[in-house]
């Protein structure tokens, strides 16, 4: 401290009150305002008003469009949302069945193997590639027919519900389910803006499962009811405070998100928390994942189908460069555990690493979605696995 | 590294703390290295161009100074000017002149196929070449002695706050600051922070909000919009470009100030100007004085016959337009301002301050009329500056007369806030000029309340999308 005081720089900085009175008072006013806001805003500002501020204008508009049936996604009573049939937007073409497949199909299988793809936009290809550049499209050959029902932002619970209630009808004998780089956190979330605050195109609500005395219990939520008075949604916020693991993000916003200094602290806090998840491998959360995977396998086997789980990395999970190099490799740990538990799991990261390609060749600039080249590589690696699994399924069917 | 991004603020903070902990002999070297890093952050390949400009002008200055006779001095100066203009000409204008030549040849009936040189425009080349050029010019005119330290000269050329978009700082205004000792002062820090805040407010809120919600959509398709919408977008662009560039200048001045350097002011509330000469004394001051001192006055300036003065004005303003960009829209914009200044030259006394200091209603009306005409015509000229080509400008300008579509634009409350903020900015400027006692007597609490309100407002109102500064292209 003595050293600091002897340096003219620190001497001046510590005397800002005298030497820079305007600056000093600006900071003082801001700090006083911030402290008042942290203490008073939860008492004075209604939660639903805060929700309205928490969501961007675009998110509010998209919510209304979705509820009025004007979005490219439809409200779905089981899964929260699903693809709207017959939608064409540049690369993005959804057929009359609500799938992103490359050919017309009915419930009748037309080839020996019908593979049904479930998962998020990493599975359906995302908006930047054409339908014929998806994994399912590259997979099609004389024996294999692929139906792509990947849906934006779907997590495993929604895949299971979609299959249980609608998609079983397509009589697929192989079900391919995509597991994103973090397949667990989405399972603990109902309201997307709490999990992904920047996601303003899909501010939707989804059901989720929870573990109750060693069994799965479905916690449903009806978006059309919960959001009927949007953005005045006190009941929904009550519900989320008890059931959504990401509700704390909204609560921190109420206290610390309204002004810049506390907003900065909140940002740092959330970033730190997000970073710390790299060190947390919660066995309870993993159990929820494996229970759902088991449920998915059982559901498929009831219909003589087999399930293959595709573990899809993001660019950071793939490259593990920079600071990620020193972090625990949860992806590898999860893969090993799922594999030893007997699930059919395909490790796409290993396929990519074996290819010797760079991350920029394999991943879209958003660092999440795959390029057409990657999709082709995945399809080629998947083909023999599907044939082997389909044989097993046929034997059981007979 | 865009000034309005978090990356820049982190960079500045690190530089600021490290710089003030270094001893004097190392400070310049440190500034030079971080400035080169700042430039290389865009494209490291073009750092070589900054180095070439630095080495070329450093030795040119020495050779001019050491030359024994006037002829040699002149010879080295001409070589130095050609060297700088050659750099600028090749990287900025080669394609423009080639395209224009081929178009002209085709118009004359000969056939010439189009040739395009694949030249990337290095960021800020117009600024750092002009700044470097002041060094041999000032040495030649005896206003400056060459520096012996290459590091000091290189730091002058590359100093990151002014490197890519000015203010165009002359060697004689800056080099002496690099020679002296530097002491960190609280007042400088305060002034710097206020400049940074106001600059960021102008850029990130006023300029980006107007661009996103009004100017860009209307200029993208002027055919579809009604005359009223086009007028609004035209005034919106006048505010946007002012907020964008003066915001950048404020941030540059603020960044330099917290490091203990003084850069020249670049804007003086140009929308208060009541005639065109005054407009150019308030708008991009460092560029207009550069053209005045190094082009207009050497051409003869005001000290010749009236027709020659008019020609000097026209030539200077066309060159000024061309300096902004290699396109006919900029040439026409400069030429139009040349015509405005010629008209002003032919009507002296209009909207000037009364010589005896007495103000009358008649004089007030003249000032108001002068202000209205000046601002209106300046705004119309900005259409040429903003349009992507001359045809786009024509469509927009005829649309102002009601020949376009009928579509309106949903003007959000934030857009109106931008207009109000620009008005308040100029009201402050008017008070500084006309009622300085009001500003001087106000206690530190008043601006402090204002600045803290500004920070809170910025936190909520800044659009998520950051546009690059308009003048980065030049």
């Amino acid at each position: 401290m003595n050293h600091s005081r002897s340096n003219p720089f620190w001497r001046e900085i510590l005397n800002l009150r005298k030497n820079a009175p305007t600056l000093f008072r600006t900071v003082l006013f801001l700090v006083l305002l911030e402290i008042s806001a942290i203490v008073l805003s939860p008492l004075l500002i209604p939660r639903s008003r805060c929700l309205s501020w928490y969501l961007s204008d675009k998110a509010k508009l998209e919510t209304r469009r979705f509820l009025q049936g004007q979005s490219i996604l439809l409200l779905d009573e089981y899964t929260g949302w699903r693809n709207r049939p017959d939608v064409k937007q540049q690369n993005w073409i959804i057929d009359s069945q609500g799938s992103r497949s490359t050919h017309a199909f009915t419930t009748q299988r037309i080839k020996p193997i019908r593979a049904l793809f479930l998962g998020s936009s990493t599975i359906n290809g995302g908006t930047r590639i054409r339908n014929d550049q998806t994994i399912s499209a590259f997979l099609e050959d004389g024996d294999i027919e692929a139906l792509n029902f990947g849906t934006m932002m779907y997590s495993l619970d929604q895949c299971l519900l979609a299959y249980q209630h609608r998609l079983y009808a397509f009589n697929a004998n192989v079900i391919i389910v995509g597991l994103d780089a973090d397949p667990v956190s989405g399972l603990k979330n109902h309201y997307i803006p709490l999990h992904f605050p920047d996601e303003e195109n899909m501010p939707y609500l989804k059901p989720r499962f929870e573990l109750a005395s060693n069994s799965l219990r479905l916690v449903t939520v009806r978006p059309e009811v919960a959001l009927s008075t949007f953005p005045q949604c006190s009941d929904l916020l009550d519900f989320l405070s008890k059931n959504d693991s990401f509700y704390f993000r909204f609560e921190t916003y109420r206290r610390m998100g309204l002004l810049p200094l506390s907003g900065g602290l909140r940002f740092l806090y959330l970033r730190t928390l997000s970073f710390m998840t790299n060190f947390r491998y919660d066995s309870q959360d993993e159990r929820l994942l494996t229970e759902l995977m088991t449920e998915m396998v059982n559901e498929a086997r009831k219909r003589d189908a087999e399930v293959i789980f595709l573990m899809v990395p993001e660019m950071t999970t793939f490259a593990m460069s920079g600071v990620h190099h020193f972090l625990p490799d949860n992806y590898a740990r999860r893969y090993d555990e799922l594999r030893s538990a007997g699930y059919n799991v395909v490790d796409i990261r290993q396929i990519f690493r074996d290819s010797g390609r760079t991350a920029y060749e394999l991943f879209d600039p958003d660092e999440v979605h795959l390029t057409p080249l990657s999709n082709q590589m995945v399809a080629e690696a998947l083909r023999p696995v599907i044939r082997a699994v389909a044989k097993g399924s046929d034997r059981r069917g007979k | 590294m865009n000034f309005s991004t978090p990356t820049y603020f982190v960079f500045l903070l690190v530089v600021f703390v490290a710089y003030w902990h270094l001893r004097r002999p190392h400070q310049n070297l440190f500034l030079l290295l971080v400035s080169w890093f700042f430039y290389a952050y865009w494209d490291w390949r073009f750092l070589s161009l900054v180095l070439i400009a630095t080495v070329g002008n450093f030795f040119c200055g020495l050779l001019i100074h050491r030359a024994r006779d006037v002829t040699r001095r002149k010879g080295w100066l001409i070589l130095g000017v050609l060297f700088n203009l050659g750099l600028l000409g090749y990287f900025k204008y080669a394609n423009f002149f080639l395209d224009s030549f081929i178009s002209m040849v085709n118009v004359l009936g000969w056939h010439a196929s189009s040739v395009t040189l694949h030249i990337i425009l290095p960021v800020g080349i117009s600024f750092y070449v002009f700044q470097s050029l002041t060094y041999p010019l000032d040495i030649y005119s005896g206003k400056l002695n060459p520096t012996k330290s290459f590091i000091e000269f290189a730091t002058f050329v590359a100093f990151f706050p002014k490197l890519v978009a000015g203010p165009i700082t002359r060697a004689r205004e800056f080099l002496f600051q690099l020679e002296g000792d530097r002491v960190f002062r609280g007042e400088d820090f305060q002034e710097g922070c206020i400049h940074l805040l106001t600059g960021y407010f102008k850029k990130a809120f006023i300029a980006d909000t107007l661009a996103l919600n009004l100017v860009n959509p209307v200029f993208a398709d002027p055919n579809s919009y009604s005359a009223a919408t086009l007028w609004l977008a035209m005034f919106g662009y006048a505010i946007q470009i002012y907020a964008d560039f003066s915001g950048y200048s404020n941030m540059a001045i603020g960044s330099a100030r917290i490091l203990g350097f003084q850069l020249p002011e670049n804007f003086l509330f140009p929308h208060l100007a009541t005639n065109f000469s005054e407009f150019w004394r308030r708008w991009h001051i460092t560029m207009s004085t550069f053209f005045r001192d190094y082009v207009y006055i050497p051409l003869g300036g005001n000290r010749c016959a009236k027709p020659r003065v008019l020609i000097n004005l026209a030539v200077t303003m066309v060159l000024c337009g061309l300096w902004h960009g290699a396109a006919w829209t900029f040439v026409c914009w400069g030429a139009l301002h040349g015509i405005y200044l010629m008209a002003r030259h032919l009507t002296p006394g209009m909207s000037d301050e009364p010589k005896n200091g007495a103000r009358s209603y008649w004089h007030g009306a003249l000032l108001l009329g002068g202000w209205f005409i000046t601002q209106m015509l300046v705004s119309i000229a900005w259409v040429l500056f903003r349009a992507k080509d001359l045809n786009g400008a024509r469509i927009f300008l005829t649309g102002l007369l009601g020949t376009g579509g009928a579509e309106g634009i949903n003007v959000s409350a934030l857009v109106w806030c931008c207009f109000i903020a620009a008005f308040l900015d100029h009201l402050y400027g008017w008070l500084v000029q006309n009622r300085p006692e009001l500003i001087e007597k106000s206690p530190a609490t008043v601006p402090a309340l204002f600045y803290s309100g500004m920070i809170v407002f910025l936190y909520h109102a800044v659009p998520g999308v950051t546009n690059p500064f308009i003048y980065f292209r030049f």
Side-chain angles (χ1 to χ4, degrees):
Chain A
M1 193 65 194
N2 283 339
H3 170 73
S4 300
R5 279 188 176 279
S6 67
N7 184 327
F9 172 74
W10 287 108
R11 211 166 42 231
E12 285 286 303
I13 287 282
L14 293 172
N15 278 327
L16 278 186
R17 185 179 176 180
K18 207 173 80 190
N19 302 328
T22 307
L23 191 63
F24 177 78
R25 285 174 209 197
T26 304
V27 175
L28 186 72
F29 288 145
L30 269 180
V31 170
L32 290 175
L33 198 65
E34 299 270 354
I35 293 170
S36 326
I38 289 169
V39 175
L40 296 176
S41 63
L43 302 173
L44 299 178
I45 304 171
R47 273 193 308 177
S48 46
R49 165 63 58 192
C50 272
L51 178 66
S52 180
W53 292 340
Y54 180 82
L55 299 171
S56 68
D57 287 343
K58 175 113 198 295
K60 282 183 269 195
L61 180 72
E62 285 303 323
T63 304
R64 292 194 183 98
R65 290 187 64 221
F66 177 65
L67 293 171
Q68 290 161 5
Q70 294 167 354
S71 167
I72 60 164
L73 295 162
L74 286 177
L75 208 147
D76 185 276
E77 61 179 307
Y78 303 111
T79 58
W81 64 88
R82 69 171 190 270
N83 291 330
R84 176 191 285 277
D86 296 319
V87 169
K88 187 176 179 188
Q89 284 191 347
Q90 294 174 331
N91 290 324
W92 178 259
I93 301 169
I94 299 295
D95 61 24
S96 58
Q97 305 278 17
S99 93
R100 199 182 181 189
S101 307
T102 45
H103 63 281
F105 57 90
T106 64
T107 52
Q108 291 298 311
R109 233 188 273 169
I110 53 170
K111 289 180 186 173
I113 301 172
R114 172 173 272 192
L116 182 89
F117 279 79
L118 296 171
S120 66
S121 56
T122 54
I123 291 299
N124 75 20
T127 52
R128 282 193 251 202
I129 61 170
R130 298 192 309 268
N131 280 23
D132 61 356
Q133 295 171 323
T134 58
I135 300 172
S136 56
F138 286 123
L139 192 64
E140 298 237 356
D141 61 16
D143 292 337
I144 303 176
E145 179 196 13
L147 315 183
N148 191 337
F149 278 95
T151 306
M152 287 189 275
M153 305 284 287
Y154 258 27
S155 45
L156 180 60
D157 43 16
Q158 289 167 290
C159 295
L160 172 64
L161 291 166
Y163 183 73
Q164 269 180 340
H165 293 283
R166 288 188 293 113
L167 303 180
Y168 69 88
F170 289 101
N171 291 308
N173 45 356
V174 178
I175 316 295
I176 296 155
V177 182
L179 298 178
D180 289 343
D182 173 9
V184 173
S185 59
L187 305 178
K188 300 187 291 175
N189 171 234
H190 276 292
Y191 191 38
I192 299 295
L194 298 182
H195 188 193
F196 301 107
D198 296 333
E199 178 54 61
E200 45 186 26
N201 294 314
M202 298 188 58
Y204 303 155
L205 268 168
K206 64 181 265 297
R208 60 170 286 215
F209 287 89
E210 61 180 21
L211 279 173
S213 59
N214 289 333
S215 64
L216 289 170
R217 188 176 76 87
L218 180 63
V219 185
T220 54
V221 56
R222 292 180 60 196
E224 70 280 19
V225 176
L227 295 169
S228 60
T229 53
F230 178 81
Q232 308 295 319
C233 306
S234 304
D235 292 344
L236 172 65
L237 289 168
D238 279 340
F239 170 80
L240 294 173
S241 68
K242 293 177 198 118
N243 294 291
D244 196 311
S245 300
F246 295 90
Y247 179 78
F248 73 95
R249 283 176 191 262
F250 175 69
E251 204 49 48
T252 56
Y253 175 80
R254 279 182 76 199
R255 288 180 185 278
M256 298 177 68
L258 304 178
L259 289 172
L261 294 182
S262 49
L265 287 177
R266 174 178 176 268
F267 173 79
L268 287 177
Y269 167 68
L270 292 178
R271 287 301 286 259
T272 310
L273 218 58
S274 159
F275 181 73
M276 294 309 285
T277 55
N278 289 299
F279 298 97
R280 206 181 58 218
Y281 194 82
D282 191 320
S283 56
Q284 202 61 11
D285 291 347
E286 296 299 318
R287 247 198 69 215
L288 177 60
L289 176 72
T290 50
E291 288 290 336
L292 281 167
M293 288 170 72
T294 306
E295 189 68 20
M296 186 80 225
V297 171
N298 293 341
E299 201 65 36
R301 282 184 178 162
K302 275 190 221 165
R303 279 127 184 150
D304 298 325
E306 279 296 327
V307 182
I308 299 169
F309 294 97
L310 272 187
M311 285 186 68
V312 189
E314 289 177 359
M315 194 195 267
T316 46
T317 332
F318 165 74
M320 294 295 275
S321 55
V323 72
H324 293 274
H325 183 70
F326 303 100
L327 298 177
D329 188 356
N330 291 334
Y331 180 97
R333 183 173 170 184
R334 187 173 290 124
Y335 173 74
D336 290 342
E337 286 184 5
L338 295 178
R339 205 63 198 157
S340 59
Y343 297 103
N344 282 320
V345 192
V346 177
D347 177 5
I348 292 184
R349 184 171 73 169
Q350 197 54 47
I351 296 167
F352 286 172
R353 285 184 174 169
D354 292 344
S355 75
R357 300 278 184 173
T358 65
Y360 296 102
E361 290 175 285
L362 298 168
F363 290 90
D364 185 86
D366 67 13
E367 302 186 2
V368 174
H369 294 95
L370 306 180
T371 59
L373 171 76
S374 308
N375 285 338
Q376 190 165 15
M377 280 164 49
V378 174
E380 294 309 324
L382 202 51
R383 187 169 282 121
V385 183
I386 289 177
R387 287 190 204 285
V389 162
K391 268 184 197 161
S393 124
D394 285 349
R395 273 199 296 273
R396 219 178 18 263
K398 283 166 192 166
Chain B
M1 209 182 296
N2 190 335
F3 275 11
S4 59
T5 56
T7 318
Y8 177 72
F9 284 101
V10 172
F11 167 80
L12 185 63
L13 184 69
V14 171
V15 170
F16 169 72
V17 174
Y19 171 78
W20 285 114
H21 280 83
L22 288 172
R23 292 185 186 283
R24 160 73 186 84
H26 305 130
Q27 282 179 322
N28 286 348
L29 182 63
F30 175 72
L31 279 182
L32 177 62
L33 293 177
V34 295
S35 297
W36 282 347
F37 169 78
F38 174 84
Y39 196 75
Y41 195 82
W42 263 297
D43 195 329
W44 61 270
R45 291 169 301 171
F46 291 121
L47 190 58
S48 56
L49 215 57
V50 177
L51 287 171
I52 290 169
T54 307
V55 173
N57 284 294
F58 180 74
F59 286 107
C60 186
L62 278 181
L63 290 167
I64 290 171
H65 186 70
R66 285 180 187 171
R68 287 188 206 130
D69 53 66
V70 178
T71 321
R72 282 191 186 177
R73 282 166 65 84
K74 203 172 220 168
W76 285 121
L77 177 71
I78 290 170
L79 202 67
V81 171
L82 287 177
F83 164 72
N84 284 290
L85 296 185
L87 278 181
L88 201 57
Y90 177 73
F91 283 98
K92 190 161 177 175
Y93 300 106
N95 276 326
F96 171 67
F97 286 123
L98 207 58
D99 287 348
S100 301
F101 175 74
I102 286 166
S103 304
M104 196 178 71
V105 165
N106 284 333
V107 165
L108 291 174
W110 294 300
H111 177 72
S113 53
S114 171
V115 181
T116 304
L117 301 174
H118 294 284
I119 304 167
I120 303 167
L121 179 67
V123 174
I125 188 168
S126 306
F127 288 92
Y128 65 75
V129 164
F130 265 36
Q131 295 183 89
S132 318
L133 185 56
T134 63
Y135 185 67
L137 285 170
D138 285 352
I139 291 175
Y140 178 78
S141 61
K143 291 173 186 162
L144 179 71
N145 282 326
T147 174
K148 287 178 185 137
S149 162
F150 179 76
I151 289 179
E152 278 175 15
F153 181 72
T155 311
F156 153 67
V157 175
F159 186 52
F160 70 88
K162 65 169 184 60
L163 176 62
V164 290
I168 299 171
T169 310
R170 299 176 193 199
R172 66 171 188 266
E173 293 170 330
F174 198 78
L175 275 173
F176 76 92
Q177 300 188 54
L178 287 166
E179 288 163 7
D181 275 339
R182 264 147 268 169
V183 182
F184 179 77
R185 290 193 190 89
E187 310 93 272
D188 284 341
F189 183 60
Q190 172 171 290
E191 277 303 305
C193 289
I194 290 171
H195 266 90
L196 279 166
L197 174 63
T198 48
Y200 182 74
F201 183 86
K202 283 180 186 173
K203 165 61 186 163
F205 174 60
I206 302 181
D208 285 355
T209 304
L210 282 171
L212 205 64
N213 300 304
L214 176 64
V215 177
N216 290 355
V218 175
F219 271 87
D221 184 18
N223 253 334
S224 313
Y225 289 98
S226 67
T229 310
L230 294 178
W231 280 99
L232 189 67
M234 183 183 79
F235 293 129
Y237 184 63
I239 301 293
Q240 185 207 332
I241 193 166
Y242 162 69
D244 192 284
F245 194 26
S246 73
Y248 177 87
S249 297
N250 280 354
M251 293 185 80
I253 292 166
S255 303
R257 196 68 184 267
I258 63 171
L259 298 172
F261 294 94
Q262 200 121 25
L263 296 183
E265 284 294 341
N266 222 7
F267 288 85
L268 202 62
F269 309 103
H271 294 299
L272 293 178
T274 55
N275 60 60
F276 297 107
S277 308
E278 192 187 352
F279 176 79
W280 281 104
R281 287 196 298 273
R282 291 171 176 274
W283 178 272
H284 203 176
I285 299 165
T286 56
M287 183 209 64
S288 54
T289 50
F290 182 95
F291 274 95
R292 184 196 65 199
D293 294 348
Y294 298 112
V295 180
Y296 182 66
I297 291 177
L299 283 173
N302 289 340
R303 294 160 300 168
C304 5
K306 204 158 229 176
R308 181 64 199 270
V309 173
L310 298 181
I311 290 170
N312 292 346
L313 280 171
V315 169
T316 306
M317 292 316 292
V318 167
L319 287 175
C320 170
L322 196 59
W323 175 84
H324 280 87
W328 286 106
T329 46
F330 294 115
V331 175
C332 292
W333 173 79
L336 192 56
H337 270 280
I339 293 169
Y340 292 165
L341 285 172
M342 284 152 71
R344 160 73 187 156
H345 193 77
L346 293 171
T347 54
M350 288 266 291
S351 70
D352 280 345
E353 283 292 312
K355 286 203 170 69
N356 55 8
R359 291 168 184 242
S360 64
Y361 286 116
W362 169 240
H363 182 258
L366 266 184
L367 276 182
L368 199 64
W371 173 81
F372 180 78
I373 291 168
T374 306
Q375 297 306 324
M376 191 61 81
L377 293 179
V378 164
S379 301
I380 287 172
W382 284 129
V383 172
L384 283 163
F385 198 91
R386 174 63 176 78
K388 65 173 184 282
D389 52 31
L390 286 177
N391 192 41
R394 185 188 57 78
I395 291 169
F396 196 103
L397 290 170
T398 51
L400 291 174
L401 304 172
T403 59
E407 212 176 300
I409 194 160
N410 185 18
V411 182
S412 66
L414 278 181
V415 169
W416 293 120
C417 283
C418 294
F419 281 104
I420 292 168
F423 170 76
L424 290 177
D425 174 52
H426 279 72
L427 179 66
Y428 171 76
W430 187 86
L431 285 174
V432 169
Q433 276 175 22
N434 298 290
R435 301 276 188 278
E437 68 281 1
L438 278 179
I439 305 292
E440 285 157 13
K441 281 181 188 167
S442 64
T445 311
V446 176
L449 274 172
F450 183 75
Y451 293 132
S452 42
M454 207 178 200
I455 293 170
V456 174
F457 183 77
L458 269 174
Y459 178 65
H460 288 281
V462 166
V465 185
T466 305
N467 291 318
F469 286 94
I470 294 172
Y471 267 68
F472 274 19
R473 285 182 289 153
F474 308 139

